[in-house]
Amino acid sequence: MKFAGVKLDEPRIMGVINVSPESFYKGSVRNDEERLIETAVRMVEEGASFIDIGAKSTAPYLETQIPVEEEIRRAVWAIKAIRDHIDVPISIDTTSARVAEEALKAGADIINDVTGFKGDPGMAEVAKEYGAPAILCAHGEVRNLSDPVHTVMDFLQESLVIAEKHGIEDITIDPAIGFLRPEWPPWYEWDSKVIANLEALKIFGRPILIGVSRKSFIGAITGRKDPAERLPGSLSATAVAVLKGAHIVRTHDVKETLDAVKVAAFIRRFSP
Ligand SMILES: Nc1nc2c(c(=O)[nH]1)N=C(COP(=O)(O)OP(=O)(O)O)CN2
Ligand SMILES: Nc1ccc(C(=O)O)cc1
């Protein structure tokens, strides 16, 4: 299996850099060019196979609205700055087709759309026009409260239909940890059920990407309010996700996560 030209014979790491000061984990934010380049280069040296650039937070519990022009300015600045310093594919984490298009023009390779082609009707068109691989997250209004796994699968199926209609083949699916928050069950239970049953997504025959890094479900389980204190919890969730079949792990902490991934993948070899 491959995604964006990267072989997925072993689990890969996607390093996250945000150029959005409002992002939920302040340690992920870079707004100085030198530090931005240094971080991207270090992440690749530490073993990242992809770099994800976010120019606007999508945290469902934060006030994150900014003008699209500002998101474009941040995204284009960051991608131009790092493009010639690293040799791995760069994804643009955006729900806006205009931002995606400008980012691809600036040198990004992959569209990372947390609305799974359902937010901006122009997004699949842009992916098609630029031949861009895409990461599609499970997205929609939760109706079946008792079955997180099948809800996620239904949402992903809808996104895959949109991709297929546009002839977009190179797709990675993502269960959108932290994004789906019905009134009940509590979201940390929802996220835990999805991770515990991640292998169900293998039926799509697509690469599976997961982002658990420092997220609020880890805070809820451990009592760690500050995302800066959630690395051990993130590594634990990462190990479970790899054991259950994740191909790509999206993280703020490349070095530590790669060790967790390697150990989980090695142990997985001997699982029944
Ligand atoms: N495909 C995918 N994309 C994502 C995911 C995720 O799980 N999967 N999580 C995010 C949250 O992390 P980030 O550090 O970017 O937070 P922010 O939205 O506050 O910037 C943002 N983007
Ligand atoms: N964009 C996101 C940022 C953070 C979280 C989370 O903390 O659960 C979820 C989504």
Side-chain angles (χ1 to χ4, degrees), residues 153-234:
M153 290 173 76
D154 289 347
F155 288 167
L156 288 171
Q157 179 59 37
E158 291 165 2
S159 292
L160 288 170
V161 168
I162 303 172
E164 199 176 324
K165 273 192 193 141
H166 288 79
I168 305 159
E169 291 282 327
D170 201 359
I171 298 288
T172 280
I173 54 173
D174 180 325
I177 298 301
F179 287 90
L180 300 168
R181 290 170 181 251
E183 296 271 306
W184 183 93
W187 91 100
Y188 49 88
E189 248 177 55
W190 177 286
D191 287 339
S192 299
K193 272 190 190 167
V194 171
I195 296 168
N197 295 282
L198 196 68
E199 70 263 44
L201 303 192
K202 288 182 187 168
I203 195 156
F204 292 109
R206 306 275 183 171
I208 300 167
L209 181 148
I210 193 161
V212 297
S213 196
R214 298 179 183 268
K215 279 188 175 162
S216 55
F217 79 102
I218 292 165
I221 295 168
T222 58
R224 307 270 179 214
K225 287 206 172 60
D226 184 350
E229 296 185 343
R230 296 181 188 157
L231 177 58
S234 305

Side-chain angles (χ1 to χ4, degrees), residues 31-142:
N31 35 34
D32 164 86
E33 182 161 328
E34 203 176 316
R35 285 204 61 220
L36 169 67
I37 295 169
E38 192 183 280
T39 304
V41 169
R42 178 176 45 77
M43 283 182 165
V44 173
E45 280 169 5
E46 288 174 352
S49 300
F50 305 88
I51 294 291
D52 190 44
I53 295 290
K56 175 187 165 189
S57 171
T58 49
Y61 51 86
L62 294 180
E63 192 43 65
T64 57
Q65 280 318 309
I66 56 162
V68 69
E69 287 74 19
E70 172 67 3
E71 189 184 353
I72 291 173
R73 194 193 58 73
R74 293 174 181 177
V76 168
W77 166 73
I79 289 159
K80 283 192 173 160
I82 65 171
R83 179 65 289 178
D84 293 338
H85 294 271
I86 57 172
D87 56 2
V88 302
I90 299 172
S91 52
I92 177 66
D93 180 357
T94 187
T95 59
S96 155
R98 277 188 61 202
V99 176
E101 179 162 19
E102 294 306 320
L104 291 167
K105 281 196 213 157
D109 305 282
I110 300 168
I111 295 174
N112 174 17
D113 180 4
V114 300
T115 69
F117 284 160
K118 296 176 192 170
D120 187 329
M123 191 66 101
E125 287 295 332
V126 170
K128 182 184 175 190
E129 195 182 325
Y130 286 79
I135 301 158
L136 301 180
C137 285
H139 177 81
E141 203 184 310
V142 176

